[in-house]
Amino acid sequence: MSADQSDNRNPLFRGLKALEGTFAAFDTSKIPQRPGELFLEWMALALQENVTEPHAVTLSTVDSEGRPDARVLVLKDVHGETFYFASGMESRKGQQLQHNSHAALTFYWPSLGRQIRLRGTVSDTGAEEGAEDLRRRPDEARAIAMTGRQSAPLDNERQLEQALAEYREQLVRDPEAVSPYWRLYAMQIFEAEFWQAHSGRKHTRLQYRLDEDGQWESGLLWP
Ligand SMILES: Cc1cc2nc3c(=O)[nH]c(=O)nc-3n(C[C@H](O)[C@H](O)[C@H](O)COP(=O)(O)O)c2cc1C
């Protein structure tokens, strides 16, 4: 940044702090063999420590021109090293994943000074799994999903209200109704990083990688 540019810096950001406080040390001498297990251990601690919405996660995808895109959603489940999230297949992310199944999930829990980075390949688990996920959602969330138009341009609020009224009625007539566009996506990971902040910036970074024989190997990274 040039001297001129630094004079123009927005005062809003001056003095803003990050990673403040003292965090528990991450003992990397006692780690599970597989990243899915460590993820569940970290998630259990986040819940115990009342981290706000610990299942909220940034999903990064790439579009057909290789340009990254990202948005927050919620993690629905974890089995082994497969991480599940749900969304509309017609959405921007849905279209991007259809074109390029490579993706990343990033969690950040400020009160614990923890970040988890996951990289993997996403598959669509199919219409029935999507329907099952949708049936477990509250009616209003189901009605919105049933519009099947996530991420499409909205002309005006009235258009949304009309569509919602139609789907609310449909759910009254048929409580089992679901959207054919709703999907449960499964991300099978090949790499994971568990990042623990240190107040002196000597952060601990543990990375797991799947090797060519399908075995998980782990090691530390420079902060
Ligand atoms: C905390 C939080 C949770 C969200 N959960 C979901 C979710 O589970 N599924 C989903 O499709 N969108 C969810 N969203 C909305 C997405 O961020 C996004 O706006 C939407 O999926 C459209 O993204 P796209 O245009 O990139 O496809 C959530 C947003 C926030 C802030």
Side-chain angles (χ1 to χ4, degrees):
M1 191 180 283
S2 72
D4 273 3
Q5 280 172 318
S6 75
D7 286 346
N8 290 334
R9 267 192 227 159
N10 189 329
L12 203 63
F13 298 96
R14 230 173 269 151
L16 276 186
K17 303 264 192 281
L19 304 172
E20 286 283 281
T22 312
F23 304 109
F26 172 26
D27 182 359
T28 55
S29 67
K30 296 180 202 142
I31 50 153
Q33 192 116 34
R34 303 175 70 96
E37 285 174 53
L38 186 56
F39 178 84
L40 291 177
E41 281 180 21
W42 276 35
M43 180 57 83
L45 184 79
L47 289 166
Q48 187 186 313
E49 298 292 323
N50 296 317
V51 169
T52 307
E53 300 181 4
H55 59 329
V57 58
T58 300
L59 166 73
S60 303
T61 50
V62 283
D63 71 14
S64 55
E65 291 168 61
R67 296 173 301 191
D69 201 354
R71 78 292 289 155
V72 175
L73 39 68
V74 292
L75 188 73
K76 302 300 297 256
D77 207 351
V78 183
H79 284 297
E81 277 65 44
T82 305
F83 292 73
Y84 295 86
F85 55 89
S87 194
M89 65 184 289
E90 79 295 357
S91 68
R92 207 152 91 172
K93 74 183 88 51
Q95 292 180 32
Q96 291 166 351
L97 287 168
Q98 215 165 7
H99 188 267
N100 184 337
S101 60
H102 297 302
L105 290 168
T106 313
F107 297 82
Y108 175 45
W109 300 329
S111 59
L112 298 181
R114 286 185 164 184
Q115 175 184 218
I116 303 175
R117 300 169 59 182
L118 308 170
R119 298 174 72 206
T121 308
V122 176
S123 55
D124 175 345
T125 64
E128 191 38 49
E129 292 282 351
E132 204 39 50
D133 176 80
L134 205 51
R135 285 192 198 101
R136 283 193 231 112
R137 289 186 174 234
D139 277 359
E140 193 64 6
R142 280 171 69 184
I144 289 180
M146 285 167 75
T147 63
R149 305 200 57 190
Q150 193 181 46
S151 309
L154 175 68
D155 292 338
N156 53 58
E157 299 263 343
R158 210 162 54 86
Q159 195 186 18
L160 172 63
E161 281 311 323
Q162 277 173 353
L164 279 179
E166 191 182 312
Y167 289 108
R168 282 187 202 116
E169 271 176 36
Q170 190 180 338
L171 280 173
V172 171
R173 285 196 307 274
D174 176 9
E176 291 299 302
V178 286
S179 160
Y181 306 108
W182 193 252
R183 287 292 188 275
L184 185 68
Y185 290 97
M187 185 170 107
Q188 178 78 48
I189 65 166
F190 62 84
E191 189 181 284
E193 183 192 327
F194 295 82
W195 189 99
Q196 173 65 67
H198 177 266
S199 48
R201 297 295 191 265
K202 216 180 64 182
H203 312 307
T204 306
R205 300 179 62 188
L206 174 74
Q207 188 184 62
Y208 287 86
R209 286 180 72 88
L210 200 57
D211 72 15
E212 283 164 9
D213 301 325
Q215 300 298 315
W216 285 100
E217 45 187 45
S218 62
L220 299 176
L221 300 175
W222 283 70

